[in-house]
Amino acid sequence: MKYKRILLKLSGESLMGEKKYGIDSAILQQYAEEIKKVKDLGVEIAIVIGGGNIFRGVQAEKSGIDRVQGDYMGMLATLINAMALQSALEQIGLYTRLMSGIKIESVCEPFIRRRAIRHLEKGRIVIFGAGIGNPYFTTDSTAALRAIEIESEVVLKGTRVDGVYTADPEKDASATKFQKISFTEVYEKNLNVMDMTAFTLCQENNLPIIVFDMNQNENLTKLVKGEQIGTLITV
Ligand code: UDP
């Protein structure tokens, strides 16, 4: 295996599938199966899942809800997704632990770094819910921070697009994909990979990011085996 320990970031939006809101159970099941394939290869897996399919702090402001309040609502949305994913993983026989950035003790453990690492060593899949636990951050930042804390070798950002393009491929048909790109080039070309807080954290800590299409069968497995899939962002 190319990687022994990975952090997989899944966006909340990807869980919607064709729906406009919420969770598509078929997608959830599909993701669980993909994760199981990688687990069966002996890879240690931590997961951060977003909440954009349910609620985002910035959208709260538009409806007159205080931004900070909205961000906490967003964090709770990520927990709903995390619980759904946990359930899907357990249904196919995997051992999991959900750790939350906000204390919510009757539902899951609080995030404790050493404990998270221990869970991984014991073969449990660790899901980080409720983001970092602070407003004004995103789940991309959570992915970057937690990956550094648990000494993950890479952040695998699973999206609906199969990598980083010169322009948004959903809007510009002439956009071309990068196989590999440096952190500096991403800044220079003003490309959208992650929010800047998350991106800078990865760069400063020399943590590679791979952006890839999570909906493509076997992509996750191919990645951990070292195949060139998606776009690698590195120094
Ligand atoms: N959020 C936050 N702090 C965090 C992580 C998330 O305040 O550490 C809030 C923020 O409002 C964000 C929402 O939770 O918009 C959902 O997360 P995100 O937008 O990152 O989800 P994704 O885009 O991956 O679905």
Side-chain angles (χ1 to χ4, degrees):
M1 289 310 114
K2 180 156 166 93
Y3 302 109
K4 190 175 174 296
R5 182 176 292 168
I6 59 167
L7 189 137
L8 173 65
K9 161 74 208 301
L10 298 172
S11 78
E13 272 177 5
S14 64
L15 279 190
M16 289 193 295
E18 297 302 309
K19 294 167 74 170
K20 290 206 155 48
Y21 179 84
I23 302 168
D24 179 335
S25 57
I27 297 273
L28 199 60
Q29 225 172 327
Q30 183 192 325
Y31 284 0
E33 298 286 350
E34 294 297 314
I35 292 164
K36 184 173 190 304
K37 286 178 202 160
V38 173
K39 183 71 237 171
D40 290 345
L41 293 169
V43 179
E44 294 176 3
I45 309 165
I47 305 171
V48 169
I49 186 148
N53 55 325
I54 301 172
F55 200 82
R56 280 208 173 93
V58 279
Q59 105 200 18
E61 276 187 316
K62 287 182 204 139
S63 45
I65 298 172
D66 171 73
R67 168 66 196 265
V68 174
Q69 182 87 338
D71 277 342
Y72 280 108
M73 291 165 72
M75 285 183 252
L76 294 180
T78 72
L79 262 183
I80 292 176
N81 287 334
M83 289 169 73
L85 183 64
Q86 178 177 38
S87 171
L89 292 170
E90 285 180 343
Q91 268 162 25
I92 54 169
L94 296 170
Y95 294 95
T96 67
R97 288 290 185 274
L98 171 56
M99 302 189 113
S100 172
I102 296 174
K103 275 194 192 162
I104 177 158
E105 281 149 16
S106 30
V107 175
C108 54
E109 300 176 21
F111 170 70
I112 297 167
R113 176 179 171 256
R114 283 171 189 275
R115 190 177 277 180
I117 291 172
R118 189 77 190 118
H119 287 324
L120 291 168
E121 287 168 351
K122 284 193 166 180
R124 297 169 185 145
I125 295 174
V126 178
I127 307 170
F128 298 119
I132 291 165
N134 292 307
Y136 294 102
F137 286 92
T138 62
T139 46
D140 277 351
S141 293
T142 310
L145 177 64
R146 295 291 185 245
I148 295 160
E149 288 184 277
I150 63 163
E151 292 170 11
S152 167
E153 291 145 280
V154 67
V155 173
L156 301 178
K157 184 173 154 122
T159 66
R160 293 185 291 191
V161 185
D162 66 343
V164 179
Y165 281 75
T166 48
D168 183 347
E170 284 175 358
K171 291 179 191 146
D172 183 349
S174 67
T176 54
K177 191 178 106 183
F178 295 98
Q179 291 218 321
K180 195 178 166 186
I181 188 166
S182 70
F183 285 104
T184 327
E185 268 180 286
V186 169
Y187 281 120
E188 283 167 3
K189 296 188 188 338
N190 201 17
L191 300 169
N192 187 17
V193 173
M194 281 181 173
D195 66 82
M196 275 305 145
T197 310
F199 192 76
T200 309
L201 210 47
C202 291
Q203 183 185 29
E204 285 179 353
N205 292 281
N206 200 5
L207 174 68
I209 308 165
I210 299 176
V211 179
F212 73 105
D213 181 358
M214 180 68 190
N215 293 335
Q216 200 66 42
N217 244 351
E218 302 278 328
N219 259 1
L220 189 61
T221 308
K222 288 178 186 164
L223 268 177
V224 299
K225 285 183 173 170
E227 267 186 56
Q228 212 288 314
I229 302 280
T231 301
L232 169 69
I233 301 125
T234 187
V235 278

